Amino acid sequence: LEAILDCLYEKRSSTREAGLKGMIDALVARVMTHFVEDKYETLTHQILSSIKRSSSTEAVLAGRALAMVSITAGAGKVAEHVFEASFPHLSKISKLGRDSAARVSAIEALGMLAFVGGVDLEEASAMEVLWQIVIHKGSAHADQTLGTSKPTPPVKAAAITAWSLLLSTLSSKRVMALQLPSVLGALSCLLEDPDVGVRKAAGEAIALLFEVGGIHLLEEQALGEGGATAMELQVVDQMKALAASSSRKGQTKKERSEQRSSFRDMVATLQGGACHETCVKLKHGDSLKISTWSQTVQLNAFRRLLGEGFQRHLQENDLLHQVFNFAP
């Protein structure tokens, strides 16, 4: 790892990219908490230098490397430092990056860094950045109003998913502060998006809002404004239609099948409050049972970033033990 870290100082971009890839591979394969605690300032500084460069490949690798540093460090002062140092740079790329893949990587890193190392106000700032991407309607006026360039479908889907990850940590009181009728209205519009990834991410966000009680607080928040209950019913009808949809222009048979399956699970939550249970089988006979949308969103976020290292980290990483209340 010392040699890999030295690669990040090199002028040749291919050498820095190889260093970032080596670092990701090492941090995925093993839980190297002591190394990260000793070197976190240098790691953060050098990885951020790579994020700010023009190479898409380097920026994508750097985003994931930052997320891995945070996941390895776990909750505490190291993760807080990584988030505070990275927030301005990740926010800028997430909102204004020219390359779609680099924006997705920055968004995923921003979500995870805020999840692990953000405190209340900082986490709220990250959610605001992500929400500005979510509600962008693709116009030049939106560019100016939100300070965000037009997101591609993968960028928008990543922003919804990262926003949901942070939503999964909020109390009912903080959920109430989100202007729920406006939030639900925006997510309802996204259920009609042409891109299946955007629709699915929006559906998961809505299911999560139902689960944490946010939707059922709409009537209290509206206080006679009208429309809150109507909006809730509209969203349920939209989700049911997507769960039963047999065809949509441009969708493959596999995509239609995945959409129906995903939305059936979401509709079950909307109607009865229950989430489809997921069981992750591990080595040594262990298993992790996931039975809430909050945990499902969190599980998917860690799986995306850890890849094949997820099982190793679930066995050995204290952060995952805390998040999932899991004792191996």
Side-chain angles (χ1 to χ4, degrees):
L1 274 173
E2 292 284 359
I4 287 170
L5 188 51
D6 288 342
C7 290
L8 303 187
Y9 290 89
E10 294 293 328
K11 291 184 178 181
R12 190 186 294 273
S13 62
S14 59
T15 305
R16 294 193 304 271
E17 288 167 10
L20 288 166
K21 188 177 185 306
M23 182 175 298
I24 292 167
D25 290 345
L27 294 178
V28 162
R30 294 175 61 191
V31 184
M32 308 187 76
T33 307
H34 294 306
F35 176 81
V36 168
E37 288 177 344
D38 289 343
K39 302 284 186 180
Y40 70 92
E41 290 182 330
T42 303
L43 283 167
T44 304
H45 181 267
Q46 289 307 122
I47 295 171
L48 285 175
S49 294
S50 287
I51 276 186
K52 291 181 278 188
R53 295 180 187 273
S54 58
S55 163
S56 169
T57 302
E58 187 170 357
V60 169
L61 288 168
R64 189 177 176 198
L66 263 183
M68 286 306 309
V69 169
S70 185
I71 290 170
T72 302
K77 69 172 187 177
V78 173
E80 289 170 14
H81 170 87
V82 175
F83 175 68
E84 289 169 8
S86 306
F87 179 70
H89 308 290
L90 291 175
S91 298
K92 183 178 180 180
I93 296 170
S94 296
K95 294 173 70 174
L96 299 169
R98 294 181 181 179
D99 180 81
S100 179
R103 288 182 77 178
V104 169
S105 180
I107 287 167
E108 290 181 344
L110 177 60
M112 184 55 73
L113 264 61
F115 178 80
V116 180
V119 293
D120 289 353
L121 289 176
E122 293 166 339
E123 193 173 57
S125 298
M127 287 189 78
E128 179 60 28
V129 168
L130 295 166
W131 190 247
Q132 288 167 352
I133 301 168
V134 171
I135 62 175
H136 194 296
K137 296 187 183 300
S139 66
H141 176 69
D143 283 5
Q144 295 172 352
T145 306
L146 299 170
T148 302
S149 60
K150 180 180 178 181
T152 61
V155 168
K156 181 160 283 196
I160 301 167
T161 300
W163 182 85
S164 296
L165 175 64
L166 300 183
L167 175 67
S168 73
T169 68
L170 300 188
S171 64
S172 294
K173 183 178 179 180
R174 289 183 65 196
V175 171
M176 281 286 285
L178 293 177
Q179 298 180 321
L180 288 172
S182 173
V183 168
L184 189 59
L187 292 172
S188 172
C189 290
L190 292 170
L191 289 176
E192 304 297 329
D193 193 273
D195 184 79
V196 65
V198 171
R199 294 196 299 274
K200 184 179 177 184
E204 287 179 346
I206 291 168
L208 183 55
L209 275 172
F210 267 76
E211 180 180 87
V212 298
I215 297 299
H216 302 298
L217 297 171
L218 271 169
E219 291 181 33
E220 295 176 33
Q221 194 177 61
L223 289 176
E225 287 177 22
T229 303
M231 176 65 74
E232 185 176 343
L233 292 172
Q234 175 186 319
V235 166
V236 173
D237 288 343
Q238 284 178 290
M239 303 270 273
K240 284 181 178 178
L242 289 165
S245 176
S246 59
S247 65
R248 192 166 185 130
K249 189 175 180 181
Q251 270 190 288
T252 65
K253 185 176 180 181
K254 182 181 179 183
E255 286 175 338
R256 290 196 298 272
S257 175
E258 288 176 352
Q259 174 181 288
R260 288 196 298 271
S261 175
S262 297
F263 277 92
R264 276 196 292 268
D265 292 341
M266 295 172 200
V267 168
T269 299
L270 269 57
Q271 293 182 316
C275 174
H276 176 73
E277 186 173 273
T278 300
C279 184
V280 182
K281 291 186 178 181
L282 306 169
K283 295 176 182 177
H284 315 302
D286 280 345
S287 63
L288 172 67
K289 290 185 179 179
I290 301 295
S291 57
T292 67
W293 277 107
S294 294
Q295 288 186 322
T296 299
V297 167
Q298 293 163 6
L299 174 70
N300 290 339
F302 280 106
R303 274 179 156 174
R304 267 192 306 276
L305 289 164
L306 288 168
E308 62 186 22
F310 175 76
Q311 288 239 0
R312 183 70 175 260
H313 277 259
L314 191 58
Q315 290 283 355
E316 300 178 11
N317 190 323
D318 287 341
L319 172 65
L320 274 70
H321 299 167
Q322 294 164 17
V323 169
F324 298 110
N325 192 27
F326 175 71

